């Protein structure tokens, strides 16, 4: 029996190795197929090009290919101005599931964008301008929830643009010089930074573009009308079936009133029956609760540690007697069915304590679901204001801002529930045991761009509500399962100038005299600038009593600027020019005078432009 096992073991190892390798081979084979169709024999491809089965796209540096330094997966394919005249087969490219940038600018590629583009789930930049690509844009475009920049200009696309308004992070939409028809694309104009759909066949009224774009963005479309192009739109004709629709509408209104009345009657009856129940039931529940707490406190030492962690965020809630009905579950699918009782009973691990509260890791359903619970104490905001903020934040979603699952508030304490993020924080990645050594320049710039764009979105969306982040720092930038960064604890802290650790008294004085909401957003920009300094220097905010912002200012003032940068970035060949450009952006953000700091939209555009330059340069080694 043992001999058989020994003989079979090498076979199993071989099979396991073969299976684990086959996925990588499949991606490589698809990429080779993508290039074979794209080049179509017209480009002289010597051995240095790569793009063959005998080499590796990351280790052998295929031309135009950039890989993630951590996962060794293909992140960017940039093949601009290479005289490619073949056929675009987007399905092959999307086999590289981690692909974030695809650029084929200024070639003569034909073909179309197929429905398989929806498989590029992580795509943020798609540039195919200056080609001969035709056909309709696929409906699957709306599945690209991470898309930021979309450029299909100077091609032969036709038909209507699908509804992509749900792509909340889209900041660039270039589609000029095509043959597109229908109404102006349904886009989120309040967050769009660049738009050009000129010289097409669009028709109908131009929507409200929030004053962001001029008539030049819409010129060359004779069928468009509206104030922006000084062409009045014809009146909308009345509906022929208006009377029928009115009758149907009245029927549903009256039916709704009847149903609502029935619900009110049933609710009143329920309340009356509840009041008739004896008080003994309530006393029995309280007795059982106290017994359960006592039983928990008398278990083994390991269990008592868990109970201690658990009771720290639950004790006042249990004592209030209303815990089971006061947990507010928000719209995140993770929170559906979640009860306060579940949090009380679940094992909890204390992750850390700070000035404003404690953070716990809570495991539900035998570890199937893991949540993070933030407990806040001694916060001056009353319960009603807290509820308003949480509900407003739940209405404002961005893929790179971690949403709340549920919340609880009482006069004594407040709790906020999030999905647990398994890959830690930016602080740990930069300053942990690895000290950022595997965290290269492109990855750092990518974090800066994603966080900056997300913060700009939240500032724009919540400006009138006066809800800024309030406590932006590298420990609040977390990484999800795909190592994509996201902002956590947005809006949890209310800005207070006495809580700031600004290095310049003038900055604090200026903020003391500013409107509170203005100060809070400007404080966010300062915090973001400090995060940029951490990315550039690899140093924590405070080291042996030395403040990072003060140290950077002193080094720059003495004209030893190159000494600022993380040596690991320089050794890996990061462009000093772009390092300096990002440093200049960071210095603008931490300007001692808050009134002279740029807003987050301006910061996001500057970093995005810098990242585009990096993407293009990395494709031409």
């Amino acid at each position: 029996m043992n001999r058989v096992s020994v003989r079979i073991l090498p076979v199993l190892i071989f099979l396991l190795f073969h299976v684990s390798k086959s996925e990588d081979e499949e991606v490589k084979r698809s990429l080779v197929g993508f290039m074979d169709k794209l080049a179509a024999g017209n480009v002289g491809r010597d051995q240095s090009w790569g793009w063959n089965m005998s080499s590796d796209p990351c280790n052998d540096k295929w031309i135009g290919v950039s890989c993630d330094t951590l996962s060794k997966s293909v992140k960017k394919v940039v093949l601009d101005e290479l005289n490619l005249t073949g056929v675009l087969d987007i399905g092959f490219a999307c086999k590289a599931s981690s692909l974030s940038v695809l650029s084929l600018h200024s070639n003569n590629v034909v073909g179309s964008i197929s429905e398989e583009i929806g498989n590029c789930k992580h795509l943020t930049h798609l540039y195919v301008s200056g080609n001969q690509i035709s056909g309709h844009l696929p409906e699957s475009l709306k599945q690209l929830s991470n898309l930021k920049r979309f450029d299909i200009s100077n091609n032969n696309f036709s038909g209507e643009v699908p509804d992509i308004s749900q792509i909340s992070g889209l900041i660039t939409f270039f589609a000029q010089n095509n043959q597109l028809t229908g109404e102006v694309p349904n886009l989120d104009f309040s967050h769009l930074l660049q738009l050009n759909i000129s010289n097409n066949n669009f028709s109908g009224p131009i929507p409200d573009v929030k004053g962001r774009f001029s008539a030049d963005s819409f010129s060359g479309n004779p069928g468009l009308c509206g104030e922006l192009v000084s062409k009045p739109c014809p009146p909308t004709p009345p509906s022929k079936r208006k009377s029928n629709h009115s009758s149907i509408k009245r029927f549903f209104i009256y039916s709704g009133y009847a149903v609502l009345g029935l619900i009110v009657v049933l609710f009143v009856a329920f309340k009356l029956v509840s009041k008739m129940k004896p008080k003994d039931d309530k006393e029995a529940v309280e007795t059982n609760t106290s017994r359960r707490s006592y039983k928990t406190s008398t278990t083994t030492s390991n269990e008592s540690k868990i109970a201690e962690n658990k009771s720290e965020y639950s004790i006042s809630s249990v004592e209030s007697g209303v815990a089971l009905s006061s947990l507010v579950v928000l719209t995140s699918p993770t929170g559906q069915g979640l009860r306060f009782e579940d949090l009380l009973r679940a094992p909890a691990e204390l992750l850390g304590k700070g000035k404003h509260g404690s953070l716990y890791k809570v495991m539900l359903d035998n570890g199937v679901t893991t949540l993070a619970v933030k407990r806040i104490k001694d916060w001056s905001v009353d319960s009603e204001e807290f509820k308003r903020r949480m509900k407003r934040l739940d209405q404002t979603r961005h893929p790179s801002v971690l949403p709340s699952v549920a919340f609880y508030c009482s006069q004594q304490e407040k709790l906020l529930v999030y999905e647990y993020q398994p890959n830690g924080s930016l602080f740990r990645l930069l300053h942990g045991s690895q000290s950022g050594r595997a965290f290269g320049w492109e990855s750092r710039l990518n974090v800066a761009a994603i966080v900056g764009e997300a913060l700009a979105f939240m500032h724009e969306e919540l400006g009138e509500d006066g809800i800024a982040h309030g406590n932006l720092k590298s420990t609040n930038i977390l990484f999800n399962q795909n190592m994509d960064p996201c902002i956590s604890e947005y809006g949890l802290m209310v800005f207070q100038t006495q809580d700031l650790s600004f290095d310049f008294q003038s900055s604090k004085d200026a903020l003391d005299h500013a409107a509170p909401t203005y100060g809070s957003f400007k404080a966010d920009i300062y915090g973001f600038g400090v995060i940029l300094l951490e990315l550039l220097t690899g140093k924590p905010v405070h080291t042996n009593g030395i403040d990072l912002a003060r140290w950077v200012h002193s080094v720059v003032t003495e004209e030893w600027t190159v000494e600022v940068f993380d040596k690991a970035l320089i050794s890996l060949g990061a462009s000093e020019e772009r390092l300096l450009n990002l440093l200049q952006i960071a210095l603008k953000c931490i300007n001692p005078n808050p009134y002279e700091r740029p807003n987050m939209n301006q910061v996001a555009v500057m970093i995005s432009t810098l990242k585009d330059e990096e993407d293009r340069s990395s494709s031409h080694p």
Side-chain angles (χ1 to χ4, degrees), residues 588-604:
K588 291 177 188 292
C589 292
I590 64 170
N591 190 307
N593 187 344
Y595 294 98
E596 294 182 2
R597 293 173 199 156
N599 62 46
M600 272 312 302
N601 264 334
Q602 293 170 325
V603 174

Side-chain angles (χ1 to χ4, degrees), residues 343-502:
L343 297 178
L344 296 182
R345 291 175 175 174
E349 174 189 348
L350 179 63
L351 297 178
K353 287 187 177 182
K355 180 178 180 180
H356 300 290
S358 305
L359 184 66
Y360 299 86
K361 177 182 177 182
V362 179
M363 289 158 284
L364 303 174
D365 305 325
N366 295 320
V368 174
T369 303
T370 306
L371 301 173
V373 178
K374 177 79 173 185
R375 181 199 185 199
I376 313 166
K377 294 194 71 175
D378 304 323
W379 194 28
S380 57
V381 174
D382 60 44
S383 296
E384 290 304 314
E385 172 62 13
F386 180 77
K387 291 177 183 177
R388 183 192 74 82
R389 291 170 72 91
M390 293 303 104
K391 291 181 178 179
R392 182 69 184 93
L393 286 166
D394 189 51
Q395 297 168 354
T396 308
R397 295 298 185 96
H398 188 279
S400 298
V401 177
L402 189 64
S404 304
V405 172
F407 69 88
Y408 163 82
C409 65
S410 67
Q411 291 184 349
Q412 292 81 18
E413 66 179 356
K414 297 171 179 63
L415 303 179
L416 205 58
V417 184
Y418 295 101
E419 287 187 41
Y420 177 73
Q421 301 302 306
N423 285 318
S425 67
L426 177 61
F427 180 89
R428 193 181 77 173
L429 188 60
L430 280 171
H431 314 304
S433 58
Q434 292 185 347
S435 300
R437 289 171 191 164
F439 194 31
W441 163 240
E442 289 187 5
S443 297
R444 298 191 198 194
L445 184 57
N446 187 55
V447 168
I450 290 175
V451 173
E453 191 276 322
L455 194 60
F457 174 88
M458 299 300 283
H459 278 197
E460 181 80 18
E461 194 72 15
L462 299 169
E464 294 183 2
D465 300 276
I467 303 177
H469 187 288
N471 191 30
L472 190 65
K473 52 188 178 180
S474 57
T475 53
N476 284 335
I477 307 300
L478 305 180
F479 291 90
N480 62 19
Q481 290 181 341
N482 298 318
M483 284 304 293
D484 295 323
C486 58
I487 302 173
S488 70
E489 300 188 10
Y490 190 98
L492 203 53
M493 293 292 117
V494 175
F495 167 75
Q496 294 177 335
T497 55
Q498 61 266 30
D499 288 340
L500 295 174
S501 58
F502 288 176

Side-chain angles (χ1 to χ4, degrees), residues 46-59:
D46 57 28
Q47 197 66 25
S48 64
W49 266 64
W51 292 91
N52 53 57
M53 293 302 297
S54 61
S55 60
D56 182 81
C58 297
N59 296 330

Side-chain angles (χ1 to χ4, degrees), residues 24-131:
D24 294 335
E25 291 295 310
E26 182 182 353
V27 171
K28 189 196 301 186
R29 188 174 293 106
S30 296
L31 290 174
V32 171
F34 174 73
M35 176 57 78
D36 287 344
K37 284 195 170 187
L38 209 57
N42 70 302
V43 176
R45 292 158 55 186
D46 57 28
Q47 197 66 25
S48 64
W49 266 64
W51 292 91
N52 53 57
M53 293 302 297
S54 61
S55 60
D56 182 81
C58 297
N59 296 330
D60 297 315
K61 296 183 179 180
W62 288 2
I63 190 168
V65 173
S66 299
C67 297
D68 185 89
T69 54
L70 295 175
S71 62
K72 295 296 182 184
S73 57
V74 174
K75 296 288 287 186
K76 305 170 189 173
V77 174
V78 182
L79 302 169
D80 298 342
E81 301 178 0
L82 292 177
N83 194 31
L84 300 172
T85 59
V87 179
L88 172 64
D89 191 329
I90 207 79
F92 276 139
C94 289
K95 290 291 184 180
S97 58
S98 57
L99 185 67
S100 62
V101 176
L102 177 59
S103 182
L104 303 172
H105 173 68
S106 296
N107 286 286
N108 284 294
V109 175
V110 298
S112 62
I113 297 179
S114 66
E115 289 286 346
E116 292 171 297
I117 188 70
N119 296 328
C120 283
K121 301 295 185 184
H122 293 92
L123 198 65
T124 59
H125 295 62
L126 179 61
Y127 303 109
V128 293
S129 60
N131 286 284

Side-chain angles (χ1 to χ4, degrees), residues 215-237:
D216 292 339
S217 297
F218 304 92
S219 63
N221 291 281
L224 289 179
C225 61
E227 183 178 349
L228 197 61
V229 292
S230 302
K231 180 181 178 181
C233 295
T236 304

